[in-house]
Structures are given as structure tokens and as C-alpha cells.
Amino acid sequence: MDFRPVERAPGAFQQGVTAGQVEVMCARAFGAGTRVLAAQELGKGMYNNTYRVELAGQRPVILRVAPEPARQYRIERDLMRNEHASVPYLAPLAAMLPRTLTVDFTHELIGRDYLFQTLLDGVPAAGGLSAYPRPSWTGYFEQLGTLTRRLHSVRGKGFGPVMGPLHERWSDALLAYLADTAADLEQAGLAAGDVRQLAELVRRERAVLDEITEPRLLHGDLWIVNTMISGDAREPTITGVFDCDRTSWGDPESDWTIFMAQRRPGTERDAFWNTYGPLADSWSARRRALIYRARTLGAIRLERHRLGNTEGVEESYSDLWSVLTELATT
């Protein structure tokens, strides 16, 4: 077997599996006689360990392995299980999603959740877009706006992660997320006073948040890095979407995709709104948008800490305080 893992420091958050573990996982998934020809770890992701696995007599497959439970933040707990629970609700994008071949949450083989999926056609947009002139990227972002709108049209029965727990009120779901974020930050040795201050503001302004009464499906991570594009189309053409493990039910305007589309105005990203449509522009909507931005900055701080980005962690404090100041003065 040709095994090519990503080399990481012993204390790194992501910890790969061994060649022997890949073989036993493949044997369980595809039968005892399965012969593994090669397994190459794909190093772009920052949470799960992902491998492209070649099997004798079969198409290549993708193996995704979740972090050990003890390594998972509260706000990222059981993400792979959340994605598995989300599949029926991702139906509007079904033709673009990888098919799950087998799932193992028993922890009998490696003490971690893992699953096998089909390999999507195309090339990762994170690298493939650079092959096109930037003016043509507007078509990519228009497609992304269409896909996001499709997901946001799916209705749920409560607010929170797709696999639960669900809350009747949107404000309760946000407060639960903020409480977990603050606890994660403090467990990591980081100050969380600004996140707790945000939670107090949410408690005072429940009425503004609870104007959102209908839970909609949020992808939570839909952006360039989690899409595939055609390798030979004349214009950037989205052919696949992956890593749907951060799905939840909530206000569409709180979704990660909306946060990212609003960044760098005056660039090709503006084409996103051509197909997604305009955001609400009431006083309440603008206030909710500030709350969502602050919530996202708290989660970003955790990810930067995990990646050892000390400068980025410090920057998150000034960024979040800037939003809190704006909330206090408007």
C-alpha cells in the first residue's frame, strides 16, 4: 500500500491515522478481501482528517476521520454525526453532494467517528478558480448565491444543530451557542469576557432576535474551500459541495456564507447578491446582523487558536469589541 500522510507536529490538533488503520477500516466497509492500493491524506481541511483511498477494482473513495472526542470543542462536538443527520435536508443539493458509502460511529476500530464517501468529480475551487481570469469569477459567485438560496428555503422544526438539541426560540439557540463558545475559550486559556457580554446583550434583546420565527437550513461552511468546479469548463462551474457537517437551523442571514459574501465589497463577491437576493434592511435586521458578526468572531478566535495563529487571536478581540461598541451606540 502506498501511504502518504500529512506530517504534523506531535501536539497538532489534527492527528492522522496509520496505514494499518486505513486497511482495517476499508476491510470493515468493503469486505475482508478488499485490497488497498494507496491512501493519500488531503491537507486542506482543518478539522477532520481526509484521505483519498484507491481500492483494487473500484473507483477511488474518500475517507474522513473525525477528531478524537476529547479534542473536540463544544461548538464542534460530533460534527460528523451532525452531517449524517443532515443528509435528508440537503436534498436541494443532492446531485452535487458526495454519496455516503458507509458510516462507523462505534469506535470499535480506532476510537473515532469515520465515514467513506464517493469521490466528487472536478477540482477544488480553492485552487481551480485561479485558472480563470478574475472577471469570470462573478459567475461562480452567482452560482454560489443560487445554491445558498436553495438551502435557505428548507424549513425546520426548531433552532439549533440539525442533530439537536433544538430550541423553540432563536434567541435560546444563540445563547446556547455563545455559552459553549465562552466555555471553549476559557478551557483553551483564552479570555471570553467579550463573548459573555454579547450573551448578556442577546438576553436583553430577545425580542429583536425572536422576530425570526421560522427555522431555515444553514450550511454553516459553504464557501470556496468546500466546493468543486469543473476541470474543463470555459467558465468556473460549480459541480460539487462537500463538508456539510456544520449545518443548523436558524436565521439565513446568520449563515457563514452570508458573512463571507459581505466581506471585500466591490469585488467579484458582489455577484453573490445577484442570485441570492438582497438582505433585509430594517433596524432590527441590521442589529441582528451585528450580533451574528460578533458571534462568528468568537468562533473564529477558537479556530485561530487551534491553528496557532496568535496574531489572529489578538485581532479577534479588537474586531469583536468594535462590533460590541457599535451595538452599544446604535
Side-chain angles (χ1 to χ4, degrees), residues 217-281:
L217 183 63
L218 317 181
H219 184 278
D221 206 15
L222 180 57
W223 197 243
I224 298 171
V225 295
N226 287 332
T227 60
M228 302 288 284
I229 61 175
S230 171
D232 55 11
R234 297 184 63 178
E235 301 286 337
T237 304
I238 299 176
T239 59
V241 173
F242 55 93
D243 281 4
C244 304
D245 47 10
R246 297 176 187 269
T247 51
S248 64
W249 301 107
D251 179 1
E253 299 195 5
S254 71
D255 205 352
W256 173 253
T257 315
I258 302 301
F259 174 82
M260 292 297 289
Q262 289 176 313
R263 300 181 71 182
R264 302 180 188 172
T267 68
E268 299 83 6
R269 297 188 188 197
D270 291 348
F272 177 90
W273 309 109
N274 295 342
T275 52
Y276 184 83
L279 300 178
D281 194 34

Short mmCIF file of all heavy atoms in Angstrom, two decimals, residues 217-281:
data_model
loop_
_atom_site.label_atom_id
_atom_site.label_comp_id
_atom_site.label_asym_id
_atom_site.label_seq_id
_atom_site.Cartn_x
_atom_site.Cartn_y
_atom_site.Cartn_z
N LEU A 217 -32.63 26.08 6.98
CA LEU A 217 -31.40 25.30 6.95
C LEU A 217 -30.21 26.18 6.61
O LEU A 217 -30.19 26.85 5.59
CB LEU A 217 -31.53 24.17 5.92
CG LEU A 217 -30.33 23.21 5.84
CD1 LEU A 217 -30.12 22.47 7.15
CD2 LEU A 217 -30.53 22.22 4.69
N LEU A 218 -29.20 26.14 7.47
CA LEU A 218 -27.94 26.86 7.27
C LEU A 218 -26.84 25.84 7.02
O LEU A 218 -26.74 24.85 7.74
CB LEU A 218 -27.59 27.71 8.49
CG LEU A 218 -28.73 28.51 9.15
CD1 LEU A 218 -28.19 29.30 10.33
CD2 LEU A 218 -29.39 29.42 8.14
N HIS A 219 -26.02 26.08 6.03
CA HIS A 219 -24.92 25.15 5.76
C HIS A 219 -23.83 25.29 6.80
O HIS A 219 -23.26 24.29 7.26
CB HIS A 219 -24.34 25.40 4.36
CG HIS A 219 -23.28 24.44 3.96
ND1 HIS A 219 -21.97 24.57 4.36
CD2 HIS A 219 -23.33 23.31 3.20
CE1 HIS A 219 -21.25 23.57 3.87
NE2 HIS A 219 -22.06 22.79 3.16
N GLY A 220 -23.50 26.51 7.17
CA GLY A 220 -22.51 26.74 8.20
C GLY A 220 -21.08 26.82 7.71
O GLY A 220 -20.20 27.29 8.44
N ASP A 221 -20.81 26.38 6.47
CA ASP A 221 -19.43 26.39 5.98
C ASP A 221 -19.36 26.41 4.46
O ASP A 221 -18.36 25.99 3.87
CB ASP A 221 -18.68 25.16 6.51
CG ASP A 221 -17.17 25.38 6.59
OD1 ASP A 221 -16.73 26.54 6.51
OD2 ASP A 221 -16.43 24.39 6.76
N LEU A 222 -20.40 26.89 3.81
CA LEU A 222 -20.44 26.88 2.34
C LEU A 222 -19.70 28.09 1.80
O LEU A 222 -20.17 29.22 1.90
CB LEU A 222 -21.88 26.86 1.84
CG LEU A 222 -22.06 26.85 0.32
CD1 LEU A 222 -21.35 25.67 -0.32
CD2 LEU A 222 -23.55 26.83 -0.04
N TRP A 223 -18.52 27.83 1.23
CA TRP A 223 -17.74 28.87 0.61
C TRP A 223 -16.77 28.21 -0.37
O TRP A 223 -16.86 27.00 -0.63
CB TRP A 223 -17.02 29.73 1.65
CG TRP A 223 -16.53 31.03 1.10
CD1 TRP A 223 -15.24 31.46 0.99
CD2 TRP A 223 -17.33 32.09 0.55
NE1 TRP A 223 -15.17 32.70 0.42
CE2 TRP A 223 -16.45 33.12 0.13
CE3 TRP A 223 -18.70 32.27 0.36
CZ2 TRP A 223 -16.91 34.30 -0.47
CZ3 TRP A 223 -19.14 33.44 -0.23
CH2 TRP A 223 -18.26 34.44 -0.63
N ILE A 224 -15.84 28.96 -0.90
CA ILE A 224 -14.95 28.47 -1.96
C ILE A 224 -14.28 27.16 -1.57
O ILE A 224 -14.22 26.22 -2.37
CB ILE A 224 -13.90 29.53 -2.30
CG1 ILE A 224 -14.58 30.80 -2.84
CG2 ILE A 224 -12.90 28.99 -3.32
CD1 ILE A 224 -13.62 31.98 -2.99
N VAL A 225 -13.77 27.07 -0.34
CA VAL A 225 -12.95 25.91 0.04
C VAL A 225 -13.75 24.61 0.10
O VAL A 225 -13.15 23.54 0.13
CB VAL A 225 -12.27 26.15 1.40
CG1 VAL A 225 -11.27 27.30 1.31
CG2 VAL A 225 -13.30 26.42 2.51
N ASN A 226 -15.06 24.69 0.13
CA ASN A 226 -15.88 23.48 0.23
C ASN A 226 -16.71 23.24 -1.02
O ASN A 226 -17.79 22.65 -0.95
CB ASN A 226 -16.77 23.54 1.47
CG ASN A 226 -15.98 23.34 2.74
OD1 ASN A 226 -14.94 22.67 2.74
ND2 ASN A 226 -16.43 23.92 3.83
N THR A 227 -16.19 23.70 -2.16
CA THR A 227 -16.87 23.44 -3.42
C THR A 227 -15.88 22.88 -4.44
O THR A 227 -14.68 23.13 -4.37
CB THR A 227 -17.52 24.71 -4.02
OG1 THR A 227 -16.51 25.70 -4.25
CG2 THR A 227 -18.58 25.26 -3.07
N MET A 228 -16.41 22.14 -5.40
CA MET A 228 -15.64 21.64 -6.54
C MET A 228 -16.15 22.35 -7.79
O MET A 228 -17.34 22.69 -7.89
CB MET A 228 -15.84 20.14 -6.71
CG MET A 228 -15.46 19.30 -5.50
SD MET A 228 -13.69 19.20 -5.20
CE MET A 228 -13.21 18.03 -6.50
N ILE A 229 -15.25 22.57 -8.73
CA ILE A 229 -15.64 23.13 -10.01
C ILE A 229 -15.19 22.21 -11.14
O ILE A 229 -14.28 21.39 -10.96
CB ILE A 229 -15.09 24.56 -10.22
CG1 ILE A 229 -13.56 24.56 -10.19
CG2 ILE A 229 -15.65 25.50 -9.18
CD1 ILE A 229 -12.96 25.92 -10.52
N SER A 230 -15.81 22.36 -12.28
CA SER A 230 -15.44 21.55 -13.44
C SER A 230 -13.98 21.82 -13.82
O SER A 230 -13.50 22.96 -13.75
CB SER A 230 -16.35 21.90 -14.62
OG SER A 230 -15.89 21.29 -15.81
N GLY A 231 -13.29 20.77 -14.23
CA GLY A 231 -11.90 20.93 -14.62
C GLY A 231 -11.71 21.39 -16.04
O GLY A 231 -10.59 21.74 -16.44
N ASP A 232 -12.77 21.42 -16.84
CA ASP A 232 -12.59 21.77 -18.25
C ASP A 232 -13.66 22.71 -18.80
O ASP A 232 -13.77 22.89 -20.01
CB ASP A 232 -12.55 20.50 -19.11
CG ASP A 232 -13.78 19.61 -18.90
OD1 ASP A 232 -14.75 20.07 -18.26
OD2 ASP A 232 -13.76 18.46 -19.38
N ALA A 233 -14.45 23.34 -17.92
CA ALA A 233 -15.48 24.27 -18.40
C ALA A 233 -14.85 25.60 -18.80
O ALA A 233 -13.81 26.00 -18.26
CB ALA A 233 -16.53 24.49 -17.32
N ARG A 234 -15.48 26.31 -19.71
CA ARG A 234 -14.95 27.60 -20.18
C ARG A 234 -15.09 28.67 -19.11
O ARG A 234 -14.32 29.64 -19.10
CB ARG A 234 -15.66 28.02 -21.46
CG ARG A 234 -15.45 27.06 -22.62
CD ARG A 234 -16.10 27.56 -23.90
NE ARG A 234 -15.50 28.82 -24.35
CZ ARG A 234 -15.86 29.46 -25.46
NH1 ARG A 234 -16.84 28.98 -26.21
NH2 ARG A 234 -15.26 30.59 -25.82
N GLU A 235 -16.07 28.54 -18.23
CA GLU A 235 -16.27 29.46 -17.12
C GLU A 235 -16.30 28.64 -15.83
O GLU A 235 -16.64 27.46 -15.84
CB GLU A 235 -17.59 30.21 -17.28
CG GLU A 235 -17.70 31.02 -18.56
CD GLU A 235 -16.84 32.27 -18.53
OE1 GLU A 235 -16.53 32.75 -17.42
OE2 GLU A 235 -16.49 32.77 -19.62
N PRO A 236 -15.94 29.24 -14.69
CA PRO A 236 -16.00 28.50 -13.42
C PRO A 236 -17.40 27.96 -13.18
O PRO A 236 -18.36 28.72 -13.12
CB PRO A 236 -15.61 29.55 -12.38
CG PRO A 236 -14.85 30.60 -13.14
CD PRO A 236 -15.48 30.63 -14.50
N THR A 237 -17.51 26.64 -13.05
CA THR A 237 -18.81 25.99 -12.92
C THR A 237 -18.79 25.06 -11.72
O THR A 237 -18.01 24.10 -11.67
CB THR A 237 -19.14 25.19 -14.19
OG1 THR A 237 -19.09 26.06 -15.33
CG2 THR A 237 -20.52 24.55 -14.08
N ILE A 238 -19.63 25.33 -10.74
CA ILE A 238 -19.67 24.51 -9.53
C ILE A 238 -20.27 23.15 -9.85
O ILE A 238 -21.37 23.06 -10.41
CB ILE A 238 -20.48 25.19 -8.41
CG1 ILE A 238 -19.84 26.53 -8.03
CG2 ILE A 238 -20.56 24.28 -7.17
CD1 ILE A 238 -20.62 27.33 -7.00
N THR A 239 -19.55 22.09 -9.51
CA THR A 239 -20.03 20.72 -9.75
C THR A 239 -20.24 19.93 -8.46
O THR A 239 -20.87 18.88 -8.49
CB THR A 239 -19.03 19.96 -10.63
OG1 THR A 239 -17.74 19.93 -9.97
CG2 THR A 239 -18.87 20.62 -11.98
N GLY A 240 -19.71 20.41 -7.34
CA GLY A 240 -19.83 19.64 -6.11
C GLY A 240 -19.74 20.52 -4.87
O GLY A 240 -19.14 21.61 -4.89
N VAL A 241 -20.36 20.04 -3.80
CA VAL A 241 -20.32 20.69 -2.49
C VAL A 241 -20.00 19.62 -1.46
O VAL A 241 -20.56 18.52 -1.51
CB VAL A 241 -21.67 21.36 -2.15
CG1 VAL A 241 -21.68 21.89 -0.73
CG2 VAL A 241 -21.99 22.47 -3.15
N PHE A 242 -19.10 19.92 -0.54
CA PHE A 242 -18.73 18.91 0.46
C PHE A 242 -18.53 19.56 1.83
O PHE A 242 -18.65 20.78 1.98
CB PHE A 242 -17.49 18.13 0.02
CG PHE A 242 -16.28 18.98 -0.30
CD1 PHE A 242 -15.32 19.24 0.67
CD2 PHE A 242 -16.09 19.52 -1.57
CE1 PHE A 242 -14.21 20.01 0.39
CE2 PHE A 242 -14.98 20.29 -1.87
CZ PHE A 242 -14.03 20.54 -0.88
N ASP A 243 -18.22 18.73 2.82
CA ASP A 243 -18.05 19.18 4.21
C ASP A 243 -19.29 19.92 4.71
O ASP A 243 -19.24 21.10 5.06
CB ASP A 243 -16.81 20.05 4.36
CG ASP A 243 -15.53 19.23 4.41
OD1 ASP A 243 -15.61 18.00 4.25
OD2 ASP A 243 -14.45 19.82 4.60
N CYS A 244 -20.38 19.19 4.81
CA CYS A 244 -21.66 19.77 5.26
C CYS A 244 -21.91 19.43 6.73
O CYS A 244 -23.04 19.14 7.12
CB CYS A 244 -22.80 19.26 4.39
SG CYS A 244 -22.59 19.56 2.63
N ASP A 245 -20.86 19.46 7.55
CA ASP A 245 -21.02 18.99 8.93
C ASP A 245 -21.43 20.07 9.92
O ASP A 245 -21.75 19.77 11.07
CB ASP A 245 -19.75 18.28 9.42
CG ASP A 245 -18.48 19.06 9.13
OD1 ASP A 245 -18.57 20.23 8.72
OD2 ASP A 245 -17.39 18.48 9.30
N ARG A 246 -21.45 21.34 9.50
CA ARG A 246 -21.82 22.42 10.42
C ARG A 246 -23.24 22.92 10.19
O ARG A 246 -23.57 24.06 10.55
CB ARG A 246 -20.81 23.57 10.29
CG ARG A 246 -19.39 23.16 10.69
CD ARG A 246 -18.38 24.27 10.46
NE ARG A 246 -17.03 23.80 10.68
CZ ARG A 246 -16.39 23.84 11.86
NH1 ARG A 246 -17.00 24.35 12.92
NH2 ARG A 246 -15.16 23.38 11.98
N THR A 247 -24.07 22.09 9.61
CA THR A 247 -25.45 22.50 9.33
C THR A 247 -26.23 22.76 10.61
O THR A 247 -26.01 22.13 11.65
CB THR A 247 -26.17 21.42 8.52
OG1 THR A 247 -25.99 20.17 9.18
CG2 THR A 247 -25.63 21.33 7.11
N SER A 248 -27.16 23.69 10.52
CA SER A 248 -28.02 24.02 11.66
C SER A 248 -29.29 24.66 11.14
O SER A 248 -29.44 24.94 9.95
CB SER A 248 -27.31 24.97 12.63
OG SER A 248 -27.05 26.21 12.01
N TRP A 249 -30.22 24.89 12.08
CA TRP A 249 -31.46 25.59 11.77
C TRP A 249 -31.41 26.97 12.40
O TRP A 249 -31.12 27.10 13.59
CB TRP A 249 -32.67 24.83 12.32
CG TRP A 249 -32.82 23.43 11.80
CD1 TRP A 249 -32.58 22.26 12.49
CD2 TRP A 249 -33.26 23.03 10.50
NE1 TRP A 249 -32.84 21.18 11.70
CE2 TRP A 249 -33.26 21.61 10.46
CE3 TRP A 249 -33.66 23.74 9.36
CZ2 TRP A 249 -33.64 20.90 9.34
CZ3 TRP A 249 -34.03 23.03 8.23
CH2 TRP A 249 -34.04 21.63 8.22
N GLY A 250 -31.68 28.00 11.60
CA GLY A 250 -31.63 29.34 12.16
C GLY A 250 -32.05 30.39 11.16
O GLY A 250 -32.75 30.11 10.18
N ASP A 251 -31.61 31.62 11.42
CA ASP A 251 -31.88 32.75 10.53
C ASP A 251 -30.89 32.68 9.37
O ASP A 251 -29.67 32.70 9.58
CB ASP A 251 -31.69 34.06 11.32
CG ASP A 251 -31.91 35.30 10.47
OD1 ASP A 251 -32.24 35.17 9.27
OD2 ASP A 251 -31.76 36.41 11.02
N PRO A 252 -31.36 32.63 8.13
CA PRO A 252 -30.44 32.56 6.99
C PRO A 252 -29.37 33.65 7.00
O PRO A 252 -28.24 33.42 6.57
CB PRO A 252 -31.37 32.71 5.79
CG PRO A 252 -32.66 32.14 6.25
CD PRO A 252 -32.77 32.54 7.70
N GLU A 253 -29.71 34.82 7.52
CA GLU A 253 -28.75 35.92 7.48
C GLU A 253 -27.61 35.74 8.48
O GLU A 253 -26.65 36.52 8.49
CB GLU A 253 -29.47 37.25 7.66
CG GLU A 253 -30.47 37.48 6.54
CD GLU A 253 -30.98 38.91 6.43
OE1 GLU A 253 -30.49 39.78 7.18
OE2 GLU A 253 -31.88 39.15 5.60
N SER A 254 -27.68 34.69 9.31
CA SER A 254 -26.59 34.39 10.24
C SER A 254 -25.63 33.36 9.68
O SER A 254 -24.63 33.02 10.32
CB SER A 254 -27.17 33.86 11.57
OG SER A 254 -27.70 32.54 11.40
N ASP A 255 -25.89 32.86 8.47
CA ASP A 255 -25.08 31.78 7.91
C ASP A 255 -23.68 32.27 7.55
O ASP A 255 -23.47 33.43 7.19
CB ASP A 255 -25.76 31.20 6.67
CG ASP A 255 -25.36 29.76 6.38
OD1 ASP A 255 -24.45 29.23 7.04
OD2 ASP A 255 -25.98 29.15 5.47
N TRP A 256 -22.71 31.36 7.65
CA TRP A 256 -21.32 31.66 7.31
C TRP A 256 -21.19 32.21 5.89
O TRP A 256 -20.40 33.11 5.63
CB TRP A 256 -20.47 30.40 7.47
CG TRP A 256 -19.05 30.51 6.99
CD1 TRP A 256 -18.51 29.95 5.87
CD2 TRP A 256 -17.97 31.20 7.65
NE1 TRP A 256 -17.17 30.25 5.78
CE2 TRP A 256 -16.81 31.02 6.85
CE3 TRP A 256 -17.88 31.95 8.82
CZ2 TRP A 256 -15.58 31.56 7.20
CZ3 TRP A 256 -16.64 32.50 9.16
CH2 TRP A 256 -15.52 32.30 8.36
N THR A 257 -21.97 31.68 4.97
CA THR A 257 -21.90 32.12 3.58
C THR A 257 -22.24 33.60 3.47
O THR A 257 -21.61 34.34 2.70
CB THR A 257 -22.85 31.30 2.70
OG1 THR A 257 -22.72 29.92 3.02
CG2 THR A 257 -22.56 31.50 1.23
N ILE A 258 -23.22 34.05 4.22
CA ILE A 258 -23.61 35.46 4.21
C ILE A 258 -22.48 36.31 4.78
O ILE A 258 -22.13 37.37 4.24
CB ILE A 258 -24.91 35.68 5.00
CG1 ILE A 258 -26.04 34.82 4.40
CG2 ILE A 258 -25.28 37.16 5.02
CD1 ILE A 258 -26.35 35.10 2.95
N PHE A 259 -21.88 35.85 5.86
CA PHE A 259 -20.74 36.56 6.47
C PHE A 259 -19.62 36.74 5.45
O PHE A 259 -19.04 37.82 5.30
CB PHE A 259 -20.26 35.77 7.69
CG PHE A 259 -19.01 36.31 8.33
CD1 PHE A 259 -19.06 37.37 9.21
CD2 PHE A 259 -17.76 35.74 8.06
CE1 PHE A 259 -17.90 37.87 9.81
CE2 PHE A 259 -16.60 36.23 8.64
CZ PHE A 259 -16.67 37.29 9.52
N MET A 260 -19.29 35.67 4.73
CA MET A 260 -18.19 35.72 3.77
C MET A 260 -18.54 36.55 2.53
O MET A 260 -17.70 37.28 1.99
CB MET A 260 -17.80 34.31 3.35
CG MET A 260 -17.16 33.49 4.47
SD MET A 260 -15.60 34.21 5.06
CE MET A 260 -14.54 33.88 3.64
N ALA A 261 -19.79 36.46 2.08
CA ALA A 261 -20.19 37.22 0.89
C ALA A 261 -20.15 38.72 1.15
O ALA A 261 -19.94 39.51 0.22
CB ALA A 261 -21.58 36.79 0.45
N GLN A 262 -20.34 39.13 2.40
CA GLN A 262 -20.33 40.55 2.73
C GLN A 262 -18.92 41.13 2.84
O GLN A 262 -18.76 42.35 2.85
CB GLN A 262 -21.08 40.78 4.05
CG GLN A 262 -22.58 40.58 3.94
CD GLN A 262 -23.27 40.72 5.27
OE1 GLN A 262 -22.84 40.15 6.29
NE2 GLN A 262 -24.34 41.49 5.30
N ARG A 263 -17.93 40.27 2.98
CA ARG A 263 -16.56 40.74 3.08
C ARG A 263 -16.03 41.14 1.70
O ARG A 263 -16.48 40.64 0.68
CB ARG A 263 -15.67 39.64 3.68
CG ARG A 263 -16.11 39.20 5.08
CD ARG A 263 -15.18 38.15 5.64
NE ARG A 263 -13.88 38.70 5.98
CZ ARG A 263 -12.87 37.97 6.45
NH1 ARG A 263 -13.01 36.67 6.61
NH2 ARG A 263 -11.72 38.55 6.74
N ARG A 264 -15.12 42.07 1.68
CA ARG A 264 -14.49 42.56 0.44
C ARG A 264 -15.52 43.08 -0.57
O ARG A 264 -15.58 42.60 -1.72
CB ARG A 264 -13.63 41.47 -0.19
CG ARG A 264 -12.54 40.97 0.73
CD ARG A 264 -11.73 39.88 0.06
NE ARG A 264 -10.81 39.26 1.00
CZ ARG A 264 -10.08 38.19 0.72
NH1 ARG A 264 -10.19 37.61 -0.46
NH2 ARG A 264 -9.27 37.68 1.63
N PRO A 265 -16.37 44.01 -0.16
CA PRO A 265 -17.32 44.60 -1.12
C PRO A 265 -16.56 45.30 -2.24
O PRO A 265 -15.44 45.78 -2.06
CB PRO A 265 -18.12 45.59 -0.27
CG PRO A 265 -17.25 45.88 0.91
CD PRO A 265 -16.48 44.62 1.17
N GLY A 266 -17.19 45.35 -3.41
CA GLY A 266 -16.54 45.95 -4.56
C GLY A 266 -15.70 44.97 -5.35
O GLY A 266 -14.99 45.37 -6.28
N THR A 267 -15.78 43.68 -4.99
CA THR A 267 -15.06 42.64 -5.72
C THR A 267 -16.05 41.71 -6.39
O THR A 267 -17.27 41.94 -6.37
CB THR A 267 -14.15 41.83 -4.77
OG1 THR A 267 -14.97 41.06 -3.87
CG2 THR A 267 -13.26 42.74 -3.95
N GLU A 268 -15.53 40.63 -6.96
CA GLU A 268 -16.39 39.66 -7.65
C GLU A 268 -17.44 39.05 -6.72
O GLU A 268 -18.48 38.57 -7.18
CB GLU A 268 -15.53 38.52 -8.24
CG GLU A 268 -14.52 38.97 -9.27
CD GLU A 268 -13.24 39.49 -8.66
OE1 GLU A 268 -13.08 39.42 -7.41
OE2 GLU A 268 -12.38 39.99 -9.41
N ARG A 269 -17.19 39.11 -5.43
CA ARG A 269 -18.14 38.54 -4.47
C ARG A 269 -19.51 39.20 -4.55
O ARG A 269 -20.52 38.61 -4.19
CB ARG A 269 -17.61 38.64 -3.04
CG ARG A 269 -16.35 37.88 -2.78
CD ARG A 269 -16.00 37.89 -1.31
NE ARG A 269 -14.68 37.31 -1.06
CZ ARG A 269 -14.25 36.89 0.11
NH1 ARG A 269 -15.02 37.00 1.18
NH2 ARG A 269 -13.04 36.37 0.25
N ASP A 270 -19.55 40.45 -4.97
CA ASP A 270 -20.82 41.17 -5.04
C ASP A 270 -21.83 40.46 -5.94
O ASP A 270 -23.04 40.64 -5.77
CB ASP A 270 -20.60 42.60 -5.56
CG ASP A 270 -19.86 43.47 -4.55
OD1 ASP A 270 -19.72 43.06 -3.39
OD2 ASP A 270 -19.42 44.57 -4.95
N ALA A 271 -21.34 39.63 -6.88
CA ALA A 271 -22.25 38.92 -7.78
C ALA A 271 -23.11 37.91 -7.03
O ALA A 271 -24.16 37.50 -7.54
CB ALA A 271 -21.45 38.21 -8.87
N PHE A 272 -22.69 37.52 -5.83
CA PHE A 272 -23.48 36.60 -5.00
C PHE A 272 -24.90 37.12 -4.83
O PHE A 272 -25.88 36.36 -4.89
CB PHE A 272 -22.79 36.45 -3.64
CG PHE A 272 -23.53 35.59 -2.65
CD1 PHE A 272 -23.31 34.23 -2.58
CD2 PHE A 272 -24.44 36.15 -1.75
CE1 PHE A 272 -23.97 33.44 -1.66
CE2 PHE A 272 -25.10 35.38 -0.83
CZ PHE A 272 -24.88 34.01 -0.78
N TRP A 273 -25.03 38.43 -4.62
CA TRP A 273 -26.34 39.00 -4.31
C TRP A 273 -27.25 39.07 -5.54
O TRP A 273 -28.46 39.23 -5.41
CB TRP A 273 -26.15 40.40 -3.70
CG TRP A 273 -25.18 40.38 -2.56
CD1 TRP A 273 -23.92 40.89 -2.53
CD2 TRP A 273 -25.39 39.76 -1.28
NE1 TRP A 273 -23.32 40.63 -1.32
CE2 TRP A 273 -24.20 39.95 -0.53
CE3 TRP A 273 -26.46 39.08 -0.69
CZ2 TRP A 273 -24.05 39.47 0.76
CZ3 TRP A 273 -26.31 38.60 0.60
CH2 TRP A 273 -25.13 38.79 1.32
N ASN A 274 -26.67 38.93 -6.73
CA ASN A 274 -27.49 38.93 -7.95
C ASN A 274 -28.49 37.79 -7.95
O ASN A 274 -29.60 37.91 -8.50
CB ASN A 274 -26.61 38.82 -9.20
CG ASN A 274 -25.71 40.01 -9.39
OD1 ASN A 274 -25.93 41.08 -8.81
ND2 ASN A 274 -24.67 39.84 -10.19
N THR A 275 -28.10 36.66 -7.38
CA THR A 275 -28.95 35.47 -7.38
C THR A 275 -29.53 35.17 -6.00
O THR A 275 -30.64 34.65 -5.90
CB THR A 275 -28.17 34.25 -7.88
OG1 THR A 275 -26.95 34.14 -7.12
CG2 THR A 275 -27.83 34.39 -9.35
N TYR A 276 -28.78 35.49 -4.95
CA TYR A 276 -29.31 35.24 -3.61
C TYR A 276 -30.43 36.21 -3.28
O TYR A 276 -31.43 35.87 -2.67
CB TYR A 276 -28.20 35.34 -2.55
CG TYR A 276 -28.71 34.99 -1.17
CD1 TYR A 276 -28.80 33.66 -0.76
CD2 TYR A 276 -29.16 35.98 -0.30
CE1 TYR A 276 -29.31 33.34 0.50
CE2 TYR A 276 -29.67 35.67 0.95
CZ TYR A 276 -29.74 34.35 1.34
OH TYR A 276 -30.27 34.03 2.58
N GLY A 277 -30.26 37.44 -3.71
CA GLY A 277 -31.23 38.48 -3.39
C GLY A 277 -30.74 39.36 -2.27
O GLY A 277 -29.78 39.03 -1.56
N PRO A 278 -31.38 40.51 -2.07
CA PRO A 278 -30.94 41.46 -1.04
C PRO A 278 -31.29 40.97 0.36
O PRO A 278 -32.25 40.22 0.56
CB PRO A 278 -31.69 42.74 -1.39
CG PRO A 278 -32.95 42.25 -2.05
CD PRO A 278 -32.55 41.02 -2.83
N LEU A 279 -30.51 41.43 1.34
CA LEU A 279 -30.81 41.15 2.74
C LEU A 279 -31.83 42.16 3.26
O LEU A 279 -32.02 43.24 2.69
CB LEU A 279 -29.54 41.24 3.57
CG LEU A 279 -28.40 40.28 3.20
CD1 LEU A 279 -27.19 40.52 4.09
CD2 LEU A 279 -28.86 38.83 3.29
N ALA A 280 -32.48 41.81 4.36
CA ALA A 280 -33.42 42.73 4.99
C ALA A 280 -32.66 43.97 5.46
O ALA A 280 -31.49 43.90 5.84
CB ALA A 280 -34.11 42.05 6.16
N ASP A 281 -33.35 45.12 5.46
CA ASP A 281 -32.67 46.38 5.79
C ASP A 281 -33.40 47.17 6.87
O ASP A 281 -33.28 48.39 6.95
CB ASP A 281 -32.49 47.24 4.53
CG ASP A 281 -31.51 48.38 4.74
OD1 ASP A 281 -30.54 48.19 5.49
OD2 ASP A 281 -31.73 49.46 4.16
#
